[in-house]
């Protein structure tokens, strides 16, 4: 297989400064709604990149579960690798890749835990199995077999069979508070359109970047 020959021209559209909203959150809303309307698979999937104390970066895909002009929220186990790295270095990068639309969006910011009340509201909205799963998995730890997870799942299923499943004290949300957005639209001949929003006080400065 010769991946040198994997080539596509990006011809689905362009991005001009005059078409951008002055507010990057509103521009995100426009793009996100378009991705949903176009039935992009998992439009709320985003790559979260964190950095360990030794400087090694790690990336993984999670699901955006809420957002507003305070930031972008996802949920995880607070004992996971990503959570441990955020504890040591709260600077985080997010990446949305809407490949069917030939679009990317990068967001840099600082992570902070959401309130317990906010985590609880989301936790209670999850399906029964997902709530059990939060109790079962000691996320990022080494396990010897999948059967251990299944045994623990059955144990938790029996434990909570007659009552509500409580929010684990080791599980909850992070809000990424942005300081930088970069909207990327693929273009022909790799002359892509890139616009960066950089926070300056209470304002956002917009710049076109070379591809």
């Amino acid at each position: 297989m010769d991946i040198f020959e994997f080539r596509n021209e990006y011809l689905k559209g362009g991005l001009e400064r005059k078409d951008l909203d002055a507010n990057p959150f509103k521009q995100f809303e426009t793009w996100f709604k378009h991705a949903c309307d176009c039935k992009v698979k998992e439009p709320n999937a985003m790559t979260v990149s964190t950095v360990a104390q030794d400087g090694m970066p790690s990336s993984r895909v999670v699901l955006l579960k809420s957002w507003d002009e305070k930031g972008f929220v996802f949920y995880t186990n607070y004992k996971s690798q990503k959570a441990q790295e955020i504890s040591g270095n709260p600077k985080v990068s997010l990446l949305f890749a809407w490949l069917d639309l030939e679009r990317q969006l990068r967001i840099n910011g600082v992570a902070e835990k959401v309130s317990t009340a906010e985590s609880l509201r989301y936790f209670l909205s999850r399906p029964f199995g997902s709530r059990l799963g939060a109790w079962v998995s000691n996320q990022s730890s080494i396990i010897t077999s999948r059967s251990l997870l299944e045994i623990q799942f059955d144990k938790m299923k029996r434990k909570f069979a007659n009552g509500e499943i409580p929010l684990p004290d080791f599980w909850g949300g992070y809000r990424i508070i942005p300081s930088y957005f970069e909207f990327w639209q693929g273009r022909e001949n790799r002359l892509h359109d890139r616009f960066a929003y950089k926070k300056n006080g209470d304002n956002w400065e917009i710049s076109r970047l070379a591809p």
Side-chain angles (χ1 to χ4, degrees):
M1 182 181 298
D2 186 357
I3 62 174
F4 281 7
E5 299 306 318
F6 285 18
R7 302 185 190 281
N8 289 294
E9 279 289 5
Y10 300 137
L11 304 172
K12 292 192 174 181
L15 189 61
E16 299 294 337
R17 173 65 181 85
K18 63 182 177 60
D19 299 322
L20 292 172
D21 197 288
N23 184 327
F25 295 96
K26 291 182 179 179
Q27 184 63 39
F28 169 83
E29 182 177 20
T30 298
W31 272 26
F32 185 74
K33 184 178 185 301
H34 183 61
C36 293
D37 291 344
C38 291
K39 301 189 184 306
V40 170
K41 187 175 181 179
E42 302 277 24
N44 60 324
M46 60 183 185
T47 300
V48 176
S49 297
T50 55
V51 179
Q53 289 185 346
D54 64 1
M56 178 62 71
S58 297
S59 300
R60 75 288 288 165
V61 176
V62 304
L63 297 178
L64 175 71
K65 285 302 178 181
S66 66
W67 69 275
D68 55 25
E69 293 202 13
K70 293 185 291 185
F72 297 82
V73 177
F74 69 92
Y75 292 86
T76 188
N77 187 310
Y78 285 145
K79 297 181 181 179
S80 65
Q81 179 184 351
K82 73 177 84 63
Q84 295 302 310
E85 292 179 353
I86 287 172
S87 177
N89 180 358
K91 294 179 180 179
V92 170
S93 183
L94 307 178
L95 176 67
F96 293 86
W98 297 307
L99 301 182
D100 291 346
L101 304 177
E102 299 172 355
R103 286 178 170 177
Q104 297 182 68
L105 169 58
R106 183 159 60 96
I107 301 171
N108 293 344
V110 174
E112 66 176 22
K113 288 182 178 180
V114 305
S115 69
T116 301
E118 189 170 348
S119 292
L120 178 60
R121 281 196 301 273
Y122 172 67
F123 185 77
L124 293 177
S125 76
R126 302 181 92 202
F128 178 78
S130 296
R131 281 178 280 155
L132 283 181
W135 279 96
V136 169
S137 176
N138 185 12
Q139 195 174 14
S140 301
S141 64
I142 296 173
I143 58 175
T144 56
S145 70
R146 179 176 178 82
S147 63
L148 294 177
L149 291 177
E150 294 168 346
I151 290 169
Q152 186 68 6
F153 186 87
D154 288 340
K155 178 180 177 181
M156 289 295 172
K157 192 173 182 180
R158 291 193 299 271
K159 179 177 180 179
F160 297 120
N162 298 319
E164 289 294 325
I165 304 171
L167 173 70
D169 60 5
F170 52 81
W171 192 95
Y174 283 103
R175 175 174 288 104
I176 310 304
I177 303 168
S179 57
Y180 179 88
F181 291 74
E182 184 184 314
F183 292 84
W184 183 101
Q185 176 70 60
R187 293 295 297 270
E188 190 175 9
N189 300 316
R190 300 301 188 262
L191 298 179
H192 313 304
D193 291 323
R194 295 172 62 193
F195 284 93
Y197 291 71
K198 189 173 182 180
K199 193 71 180 290
N200 183 7
D202 294 330
N203 299 315
W204 293 93
E205 296 179 348
I206 304 176
S207 304
R208 178 184 274 275
L209 306 179

